Amino acid sequence: MATTTRKTAGKTAGKTAGKTAGKTAGKTAGKTASRSASKATARKQAVKMEEAGKATPEGMQQEARQDSEAFTAALSMRLGQRVRSARAARAMTMKQLAEESGISLPYLSRVEKGDGNISIAVLYRLATALSLPLEHLLSDNERYGADYALIVELLKRQTHEQLSEIRQWLADYTAGRGGARAQPPGSLRIALIGLRGAGKSTLGPLLARQLDVPFIELNREIEKEAGVNLKEIFWLYGQAGYRRLERRCLERVIATYPQVVLATGGGIVAEPATYELLLHSFYNVWLKAAPDEHFARVMAQHDARIASPQLQQEAMENIHYTLEARAELYALAHATLDTSGKSVQQTLKEMTRLFARRRAA
Ligand SMILES: Nc1ncnc2c1ncn2[C@@H]1O[C@H](COP(=O)(O)OP(=O)(O)O)[C@@H](O)[C@H]1O
Ligand SMILES: O=C(O)C1=C[C@@H](OP(=O)(O)O)[C@@H](O)[C@H](O)C1
Ligand SMILES: [Mg+2]
């Protein structure tokens, strides 16, 4: 009885979703075809620019204007391929999968052909019937080969502490094999990380002078690369464009400076690929402070009188949320300095001690 109900409900949902998807696909097919031609040209240009190692503002704008219809179509196509290949690996017929997932056969057939704007509920039913985690159908893991999926399963069985060790071990292993991130002997790259108002820009130049190494503010490098200021970068290219520039500039700093103190942008830790590179290539120091102190410092920098109480309240909440969301990431730094209730000079002294110890070690 329960099975019948599930199947009927599934079929109805499948049918309706299928119809809607079919109609939309039909209507937009013409549009998509003409758009994908210009998109293909834009893509080719972007690839050329990437290869030349120079993302021009024009290239980044093209990417930002990415045709969302063509993009969705490509996603549906890949999703369909994944369903088909997971089904084939389990030697299941389309009919069996349709029955086990409670999705109508014609709809499943469209899904597998990449023709169907699949809902998360249908996707979940397919994943369950294939006994796969939902993310398997959504991620593009297949391009990393068969070992990747097995390694992920192995990692899932480890504790947090073991994962931390494994990450470090992997970092050393890839560096030992001559990975680009290997730190040359005698290198002293220090990165300061932390939320706005942490003191990265204030302490960075002071520490660099003490250690007699260059100081680099990553955000200034990003502005130089883009030819416009940060506000305009976000406006023109969005967060994603800024993150691409951030990555490129970080790579350049690594290639240029064996010794440097780098002040990063507060959000660098939220971009896993960039943060991994940072953790690999620098000794990272998290300049930690209580949310109230971040707020007080940022307000002091931006003349508190101009902000209304409501805006101040929003800003304070923002700091709380962001710090909470990033704390676990910042905590991956090699060292943490709590700056709350301390003066710049006190924090500088603590940092100097930290590096004196490191050099002696
Ligand atoms: N212990 C401390 N460490 C660093 N900065 C502090 C400290 N106490 C107060 N400050 C003040 O906080 C502000 C930090 O701002 P800034 O260096 O621009 O931070 P970030 O670059 O991390 O956003 C500066 O005005 C600095 O004088
Ligand atoms: O915290 C963030 O998400 C950001 C912080 C900024 O750098 P600072 O930490 O130097 O202010 C800048 O990179 C960008 O506006 C994003
Ligand atoms: Mg700063």
Side-chain angles (χ1 to χ4, degrees):
M1 182 67 188
T3 319
T4 320
T5 316
R6 181 175 64 83
K7 279 191 182 167
T8 317
K11 270 186 189 163
T12 319
K15 264 187 200 163
T16 321
K19 263 190 203 163
T20 320
K23 269 189 195 165
T24 320
K27 258 192 208 164
T28 53
K31 263 193 214 167
T32 313
S34 63
R35 280 188 193 176
S36 55
S38 60
K39 188 170 176 252
T41 318
R43 271 264 163 81
K44 270 185 204 152
Q45 280 172 335
V47 169
K48 267 190 203 157
M49 276 181 281
E50 287 280 341
E51 282 169 358
K54 182 91 188 159
T56 64
E58 293 76 24
M60 297 185 66
Q61 258 182 333
Q62 270 168 356
E63 266 191 82
R65 274 195 241 113
Q66 209 169 37
D67 184 326
S68 65
E69 262 178 55
F71 186 68
T72 314
L75 273 185
S76 300
M77 191 70 78
R78 266 184 281 154
L79 186 74
Q81 283 162 357
R82 275 180 213 127
V83 171
R84 201 168 53 228
S85 117
R87 180 172 64 73
R90 283 155 186 74
M92 277 173 105
T93 64
M94 206 186 271
K95 189 161 173 279
Q96 278 171 326
L97 179 58
E99 272 170 15
E100 291 201 22
S101 59
I103 290 164
S104 77
L105 190 58
Y107 183 46
L108 178 60
S109 162
R110 279 202 298 277
V111 166
E112 288 199 0
K113 283 184 194 132
D115 174 19
N117 202 350
I118 192 165
S119 76
I120 199 86
V122 170
L123 195 62
Y124 181 71
R125 281 213 299 269
L126 281 174
T128 309
L130 289 163
S131 66
L132 276 174
L134 188 58
E135 72 266 19
H136 184 98
L137 295 177
L138 293 168
S139 69
D140 56 356
N141 290 348
E142 64 271 8
R143 68 188 165 114
Y144 302 113
D147 276 314
Y148 183 86
L150 299 182
I151 291 172
V152 170
E153 289 310 314
L154 207 61
L155 292 179
K156 281 183 190 167
R157 293 204 289 274
Q158 311 303 311
T159 63
H160 282 212
E161 289 72 28
Q162 286 167 332
L163 283 175
S164 189
E165 265 179 47
I166 291 170
R167 184 171 61 77
Q168 195 50 56
W169 179 84
L170 260 180
D172 295 343
Y173 174 76
T174 51
R177 286 165 61 100
R181 297 96 188 266
Q183 294 205 40
S187 78
L188 179 69
R189 294 198 204 101
I190 297 164
L192 304 182
I193 63 172
L195 201 63
R196 292 192 91 178
K200 305 175 299 272
S201 304
T202 305
L203 289 159
L206 301 175
L207 179 68
R209 200 171 311 141
Q210 283 204 352
L211 297 173
D212 197 22
V213 300
F215 168 72
I216 299 284
E217 176 82 53
L218 195 57
N219 276 336
R220 296 296 84 72
E221 298 302 302
I222 294 170
E223 289 178 331
K224 271 192 248 162
E225 169 87 1
V228 287
N229 68 29
L230 275 195
K231 208 172 146 190
E232 287 163 324
I233 291 173
F234 276 95
W235 186 74
L236 285 169
Y237 315 123
Q239 169 88 219
Y242 167 79
R243 295 291 164 210
R244 279 193 293 274
L245 281 165
E246 183 180 53
R247 167 78 190 212
R248 201 183 318 275
C249 290
L250 181 66
E251 280 169 358
R252 191 165 319 136
V253 170
I254 295 167
T256 314
Y257 299 97
Q259 305 212 326
V260 68
V261 172
L262 178 76
T264 60
I268 199 165
V269 298
E271 203 59 38
T274 311
Y275 190 31
E276 192 275 324
L277 180 61
L278 189 77
L279 283 171
H280 246 93
S281 320
F282 292 77
Y283 183 83
N284 286 252
V285 182
W286 175 21
L287 297 174
K288 189 180 177 180
D292 300 12
E293 191 137 350
H294 277 285
F295 180 72
R297 291 180 190 173
V298 175
M299 287 305 283
Q301 278 179 331
H302 294 99
D303 191 347
R305 285 167 304 175
I306 55 170
S308 68
Q310 195 199 338
L311 282 177
Q312 286 192 19
Q313 174 70 19
E314 269 178 38
M316 187 64 210
E317 281 169 11
N318 229 326
I319 284 175
H320 267 278
Y321 290 143
T322 315
L323 195 54
E324 201 182 304
R326 288 181 185 165
E328 200 191 358
L329 296 164
Y330 286 140
L332 294 176
H334 303 90
T336 299
L337 283 184
D338 197 336
T339 68
S340 291
K342 290 175 191 155
S343 70
V344 171
Q345 283 311 317
Q346 269 175 308
T347 309
L348 182 62
K349 246 189 213 158
E350 285 185 23
M351 273 217 281
T352 314
R353 271 205 297 272
L354 180 74
F355 287 104
R357 270 208 309 274
R358 241 181 85 72
R359 277 191 158 169

